[in-house]
Amino acid sequence: MASLELISSAKSFGGHQQRYRHASDVLNCSMNVSVFVPPQAEQDTPLPVVYWLSGLTCTDENFVTKAGAARVAAELGLIVVAPDTSPRGDDVADDESYDLGQGAGFYLNATQAPWHSHYRMYDYIVDELPGLINQTFNCLPKAGLAGHSMGGHGALTLGLSNLQKYTSISAFSPIVNPIDCPWGQKAFNAYLGENEAEWELYDACCLLQQQGQFMQLPILIDQGLDDDFYQSQKLTRPFEHVAKQMNYPAIVNYHPGYDHSYFFIASFIESHLRFHHKYLLEQR
Amino acid sequence: MASLELISSAKSFGGHQQRYRHASDVLNCSMNVSVFVPPQAEQDTPLPVVYWLSGLTCTDENFVTKAGAARVAAELGLIVVAPDTSPRGDDVADDESYDLGQGAGFYLNATQAPWHSHYRMYDYIVDELPGLINQTFNCLPKAGLAGHSMGGHGALTLGLSNLQKYTSISAFSPIVNPIDCPWGQKAFNAYLGENEAEWELYDACCLLQQQGQFMQLPILIDQGLDDDFYQSQKLTRPFEHVAKQMNYPAIVNYHPGYDHSYFFIASFIESHLRFHHKYLLEQR
């Protein structure tokens, strides 16, 4: 099996902000992943892990640089894993637009050419990457899953489809109904083709409708009301609507004045990390 | 007089992270400046201000993006002003190297061609920019002055030369003895020529030696011990040495494992903001 190769490490809040490179069999390319390792890693106790899934155009570095998560992660003893948002490389299919191809993997397994030979972010995030993380660090078995925008879509859909692997899901400004918004329709058409039954496997609203009655995975969503994409990409609200229909206890908070940027994420990341930490520790 | 033109604003921790553009008479070009405006600005009380001076290669945006200062600034009601590090523009003299010219103004008034027609960062930071800030926001008269590396040099030298304008000085990994380190010697040769008496006006060690007995401006310095520039650029230590000689009560903290990056700054920025806040509030 491949392993993580450390390419940089900087001390941060008593822990270490690290960056790793590794060969990915699933994505058929080389990948970078950023990991915050808290000071508690020096002890012998398995640590809770949160995976952060970033949005369109991001790499593994945006969250690390901009979200200010290390302070609270260090306090709580959380490992925070920030993967890239797509396969990468010169021989990986791409598109000129920012919302398709590299930087826009949409956390799904593509079935269509030219995408299907690399774009398998679903399998990468759910299986391959946790395998590498768990062989490198001493981790509690289930993880928390968080993300922003396209990454909020990833957190909701991967979490709702893998209830046994995660303790909790949280999202900022998530795409929740990709089968019915411009970003989602463009990406799903390209990656999945015209089979709409398959589209629903990657739609948080559809998944909650189908599976909500069988599970009680805690869900937290924060949404800025001055977010330029809130209306145009139908963020958050359709999911809240389905949750209410299903009588599902998702926590959804709306914040006047906040936009779609990392300034919004930084303002509320502490509450997300504390949310996950609470459920992650129930494994101990 | 020129005024600040708002070019972006994002809600952040209940306040606003803003970016302004303005014509600079002193620098003879157009400048950007980033300002964190805390939620307390909506009240009618004059607010404390901290100026953050960044290091080599930075613009006004590095600190805003990477330092994670907004959370504590919002709590304390601090306005935090992050200027650019040099004059900018196609008709502003520049150099191919990262440590001279644009992005490397060294917070001095250049006397030598081709630099002297734009490179007057000393006057800009001490006089012109505070004029613009004070006409735009309701500010307490004296400010706190903080910075990193070249900006730590700026904070120490501008503060020590203008005791009546500042309440307190703090620095991360500062250049403290530019007349005796490679970065400083290269820049001072270019900007100031061979007149070494003038060099000493911009050297924190020289200034403390000359002025330390007349003043009690509180000074806080933090230095990482895994900083690649700590030895080669003689950061921090010569200043601590002079302070001890002068019996001057500067606080100097050394941190094993930390490097020269913003991961170090983010880890300790809270203590710097609280340090300034304490002295800034004595004006009320």
Side-chain angles (χ1 to χ4, degrees):
Chain A
M1 191 179 178
S3 62
L4 296 178
E5 175 201 355
L6 185 67
I7 55 178
S8 72
S9 180
K11 196 165 178 182
S12 168
F13 289 93
H16 289 86
Q17 183 60 55
Q18 305 190 319
R19 196 173 194 211
Y20 292 88
R21 185 174 293 137
H22 68 91
S24 167
D25 294 337
V26 165
L27 300 175
N28 192 19
C29 66
S30 175
M31 292 293 286
N32 294 326
V33 58
S34 288
V35 183
F36 178 75
V37 184
Q40 295 84 345
E42 290 171 15
Q43 301 157 15
D44 215 20
T45 318
L47 293 181
V49 185
V50 170
Y51 286 84
W52 172 269
L53 307 183
S54 289
L56 289 167
T57 77
C58 289
T59 69
D60 60 304
E61 292 193 292
N62 299 64
F63 177 78
V64 171
T65 307
K66 297 181 172 180
R71 181 184 59 88
V72 179
E75 177 200 323
L76 299 177
L78 278 176
I79 293 173
V80 182
V81 180
D84 204 342
T85 55
S86 75
R88 297 279 182 181
D90 292 343
D91 59 348
V92 170
D94 201 2
D95 187 273
E96 285 184 359
S97 55
Y98 75 97
D99 52 2
L100 189 67
Q102 294 188 34
F106 271 86
Y107 304 100
L108 51 71
N109 293 332
T111 57
Q112 304 296 302
W115 311 105
H116 62 303
S117 53
H118 293 281
Y119 285 75
R120 302 184 63 81
M121 287 296 289
Y122 181 101
D123 286 350
Y124 175 66
I125 299 295
V126 171
D127 289 321
E128 189 183 38
L129 182 60
L132 290 162
I133 294 294
N134 293 341
Q135 87 183 18
T136 309
F137 303 98
N138 187 6
C139 304
L140 288 168
K142 293 186 186 185
L145 197 52
H148 171 235
S149 194
M150 176 184 75
H153 147 76
L156 289 165
T157 55
L158 272 52
L160 285 164
S161 305
N162 296 277
L163 305 178
Q164 77 292 0
K165 297 199 177 209
Y166 300 107
T167 58
S168 40
I169 301 171
S170 79
F172 290 87
S173 331
I175 302 170
V176 294
N177 201 189
I179 68 174
D180 188 34
C181 80
W183 277 338
Q185 289 169 341
K186 177 177 175 177
F188 285 16
N189 254 311
Y191 296 138
L192 303 173
E194 292 174 3
N195 179 354
E196 298 209 357
E198 200 161 8
W199 289 29
E200 296 183 0
L201 299 176
Y202 299 110
D203 186 284
C205 285
C206 295
L207 289 169
L208 186 64
Q209 234 152 8
Q210 292 155 18
Q211 305 187 26
Q213 57 186 311
F214 303 115
M215 67 110 184
Q216 292 296 327
L217 210 55
I219 296 179
L220 167 66
I221 297 177
D222 281 277
Q223 174 67 53
L225 290 175
D226 271 24
D227 180 337
D228 285 341
F229 304 107
Y230 172 49
Q231 300 290 346
S232 61
Q233 301 290 345
K234 303 183 186 175
L235 307 180
T236 299
R237 192 77 86 183
F239 189 84
E240 185 191 31
H241 184 69
V242 174
K244 280 187 176 154
Q245 279 184 328
M246 307 284 297
N247 208 20
Y248 190 86
I251 303 166
V252 183
N253 303 314
Y254 293 95
H255 302 279
Y258 285 91
D259 65 17
H260 199 68
S261 74
Y262 266 92
F263 293 116
F264 172 50
I265 297 170
S267 299
F268 297 96
I269 189 67
E270 176 167 355
S271 68
H272 282 237
L273 295 184
R274 293 193 188 281
F275 171 80
H276 288 291
H277 183 251
K278 174 181 159 189
Y279 297 106
L280 285 161
L281 283 204
E282 291 177 0
Q283 298 176 83
R284 279 205 177 135
Chain B
M1 188 179 182
S3 62
L4 296 178
E5 175 203 353
L6 185 67
I7 54 177
S8 72
S9 181
K11 196 166 180 182
S12 168
F13 289 93
H16 289 86
Q17 184 59 56
Q18 303 189 322
R19 197 174 193 209
Y20 292 88
R21 184 176 292 139
H22 69 90
S24 167
D25 294 337
V26 166
L27 300 175
N28 192 20
C29 66
S30 175
M31 292 294 285
N32 294 326
V33 58
S34 288
V35 183
F36 179 75
V37 184
Q40 295 84 345
E42 290 171 13
Q43 301 157 18
D44 215 20
T45 317
L47 293 182
V49 185
V50 170
Y51 287 83
W52 172 268
L53 306 183
S54 289
L56 288 166
T57 76
C58 289
T59 69
D60 60 304
E61 292 194 292
N62 300 64
F63 178 78
V64 171
T65 306
K66 296 181 173 179
R71 181 184 60 88
V72 178
E75 177 200 323
L76 300 176
L78 278 176
I79 293 174
V80 182
V81 181
D84 204 343
T85 56
S86 76
R88 297 280 182 181
D90 291 343
D91 59 348
V92 171
D94 201 2
D95 187 272
E96 285 184 357
S97 54
Y98 75 97
D99 52 2
L100 189 67
Q102 295 189 33
F106 271 85
Y107 305 100
L108 51 73
N109 292 333
T111 58
Q112 305 297 302
W115 311 105
H116 61 303
S117 52
H118 293 282
Y119 285 75
R120 303 185 62 82
M121 287 297 289
Y122 181 100
D123 286 351
Y124 175 66
I125 300 294
V126 170
D127 289 323
E128 188 183 39
L129 182 60
L132 290 162
I133 294 294
N134 292 340
Q135 87 183 16
T136 309
F137 303 99
N138 187 5
C139 303
L140 288 168
K142 293 187 186 185
L145 197 51
H148 172 234
S149 193
M150 176 184 75
H153 147 75
L156 290 165
T157 55
L158 273 51
L160 285 164
S161 305
N162 296 277
L163 305 177
Q164 76 291 359
K165 298 201 176 204
Y166 300 106
T167 58
S168 41
I169 301 171
S170 78
F172 289 87
S173 333
I175 301 170
V176 294
N177 202 189
I179 68 175
D180 188 33
C181 81
W183 277 337
Q185 290 169 341
K186 177 176 176 178
F188 285 16
N189 254 311
Y191 296 139
L192 303 173
E194 291 174 4
N195 180 352
E196 297 209 357
E198 200 161 10
W199 289 28
E200 295 184 0
L201 299 176
Y202 299 110
D203 186 283
C205 285
C206 296
L207 290 169
L208 186 65
Q209 234 151 9
Q210 292 156 18
Q211 305 189 25
Q213 55 188 311
F214 304 116
M215 68 109 185
Q216 291 296 329
L217 210 56
I219 296 178
L220 167 66
I221 297 176
D222 282 277
Q223 174 67 53
L225 290 176
D226 272 23
D227 180 337
D228 285 342
F229 305 108
Y230 172 51
Q231 300 290 347
S232 61
Q233 302 291 343
K234 303 181 184 175
L235 307 180
T236 299
R237 192 78 86 182
F239 188 86
E240 185 191 31
H241 184 68
V242 175
K244 280 187 177 155
Q245 279 185 326
M246 307 283 298
N247 208 19
Y248 190 87
I251 303 165
V252 183
N253 304 312
Y254 294 95
H255 303 277
Y258 285 91
D259 66 16
H260 199 67
S261 74
Y262 267 91
F263 292 117
F264 173 49
I265 297 169
S267 299
F268 295 96
I269 189 67
E270 176 166 356
S271 67
H272 283 236
L273 296 183
R274 293 192 187 282
F275 171 81
H276 288 290
H277 184 251
K278 174 181 160 188
Y279 297 105
L280 285 162
L281 282 204
E282 291 177 0
Q283 297 176 83
R284 280 207 177 134

